[in-house]
């Protein structure tokens, strides 16, 4: 079945460590996105990529980095520069950029100890 | 930037009741999404609409562009409908990005 796979589902990190969240899709979608969800807030866009080897900052990109070396993969690195990294992270994809229907992964919950 | 307001924030109802969740936004849009977030966190897209009304099973979504308002209705609600329902809007004018509402937490009791 086609879909988006995020891993790990739960992750614990010590302060000062970088951590990478994986996002893989087999839907053949060009566009991929990373969102952050905090309690009581709407989803906020971290980074997005409309095509391989290209990505753009979203509303809250500081302290995060991404790469898009393959169409299927869009990993997110939460760096030690991110001041409040504990959150729920969601990866999504769509056929036609922001104009298309969104498909989401199951999410990754990061906790900084 | 578009402001997206959902109401109610929380809703508890009995199985079989007709459910309405509302979404209002502040500036013109080109499309509106309704999403369902399961207790485990995964999100499923329910509808994407830019005008009129769409129906899928027991779910109905309507949008009034002039009023800047959309509603999601659930008929014959069931405990498995318990989830967070999220409204998201895409701005008009060719701008990128979606603005998300904070969600409506729905609980359907048997």
């Amino acid at each position: 079945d086609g879909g988006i796979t995020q891993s790990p589902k739960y992750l614990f990190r010590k302060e000062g460590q970088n951590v990478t969240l994986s996002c893989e899709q087999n839907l053949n979608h060009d566009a991929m996105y990373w969102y952050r969800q905090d309690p009581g807030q709407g989803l906020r866009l971290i980074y997005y990529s409309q095509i391989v080897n290209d990505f753009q900052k979203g509303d809250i990109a500081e302290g995060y980095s991404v790469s898009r070396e393959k169409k299927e993969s869009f990993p997110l690195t939460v760096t030690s520069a991110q001041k409040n990294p504990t959150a729920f992270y969601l990866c999504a994809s769509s056929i036609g950029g922001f104009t298309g229907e969104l498909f989401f992964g199951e999410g990754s919950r990061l906790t900084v100890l | 930037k578009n402001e997206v307001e959902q109401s109610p924030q929380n809703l508890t109802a009995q199985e079989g009741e007709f459910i309405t969740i509302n979404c209002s936004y502040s500036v013109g849009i080109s499309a509106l999404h309704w999403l369902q977030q399961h207790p485990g966190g995964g999100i499923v897209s329910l509808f994407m609409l830019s005008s009129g009304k769409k129906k899928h099973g027991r779910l109905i979504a309507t949008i009034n562009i002039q009023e800047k308002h959309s509603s999601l209705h659930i008929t014959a609600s069931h405990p498995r409908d318990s989830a967070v329902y999220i409204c998201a809007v895409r701005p008009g004018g060719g701008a990128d990005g979606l603005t998300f509402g904070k969600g409506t937490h729905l609980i359907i009791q048997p």
Side-chain angles (χ1 to χ4, degrees), chain A residues 9 35 37 40-43 48 50 59 88 90 98-102 104-106, chain B residues 1 33 35 37 40-46 48 86 90 96-98 100-102:
Chain A
K9 191 167 177 65
Y35 290 96
Q37 187 177 37
Q41 295 194 37
L43 275 69
Y48 66 99
Q50 305 276 35
D59 298 321
F88 188 62
L90 284 152
F98 289 111
T99 61
E101 181 183 359
L102 289 170
F104 285 86
E106 291 294 309
Chain B
K1 190 170 172 68
H33 297 252
L35 310 169
Q37 186 168 28
I43 293 178
V44 174
S45 176
L46 298 175
M48 185 174 69
I86 299 170
R90 178 162 61 82
D96 287 333
L98 295 171
F100 291 80
K102 295 180 181 179

Side-chain angles (χ1 to χ4, degrees), chain A residues 67-83:
Chain A
S67 63
R68 187 84 186 278
E69 296 176 1
K70 297 187 300 182
K71 188 175 186 178
E72 304 79 24
S73 180
F74 191 41
L76 173 74
T77 297
V78 184
T79 75
S80 56
Q82 167 49 234
K83 297 189 187 315

Side-chain angles (χ1 to χ4, degrees), chain A residues 28-66:
Chain A
N28 201 33
H29 287 171
D30 288 314
M32 296 186 74
Y33 316 84
W34 274 106
Y35 290 96
R36 170 179 171 141
Q37 187 177 37
D38 294 284
Q41 295 194 37
L43 275 69
R44 291 182 290 168
L45 182 65
I46 304 172
Y47 268 98
Y48 66 99
S49 169
Q50 305 276 35
I51 196 169
V52 174
N53 291 322
D54 186 55
F55 48 83
Q56 307 295 328
K57 292 182 179 180
D59 298 321
I60 55 165
E62 185 175 350
Y64 300 98
S65 66
V66 293

Side-chain angles (χ1 to χ4, degrees), chain A residues 6-26:
Chain A
Q6 287 187 240
S7 63
K9 191 167 177 65
Y10 299 96
L11 185 61
F12 297 88
R13 187 196 95 177
K14 293 182 180 179
E15 280 191 22
Q17 289 180 336
N18 292 356
V19 62
T20 297
L21 308 180
S22 169
C23 178
E24 303 279 333
Q25 55 100 358
N26 60 4

Side-chain angles (χ1 to χ4, degrees), chain B residues 48-100:
Chain B
M48 185 174 69
L49 64 165
S50 55
S51 65
K53 177 180 176 178
K54 286 189 176 181
K55 183 176 189 292
H56 185 258
R58 295 180 294 105
L59 301 177
I60 303 167
T62 64
I63 188 168
N64 185 319
I65 297 295
Q66 288 73 30
E67 298 282 326
K68 296 186 176 60
H69 180 268
S70 175
S71 293
L72 176 68
H73 305 286
I74 305 174
T75 63
S77 59
H78 189 276
R80 65 175 175 264
D81 297 325
S82 299
V84 177
Y85 292 85
I86 299 170
C87 170
V89 300
R90 178 162 61 82
D96 287 333
L98 295 171
T99 301
F100 291 80

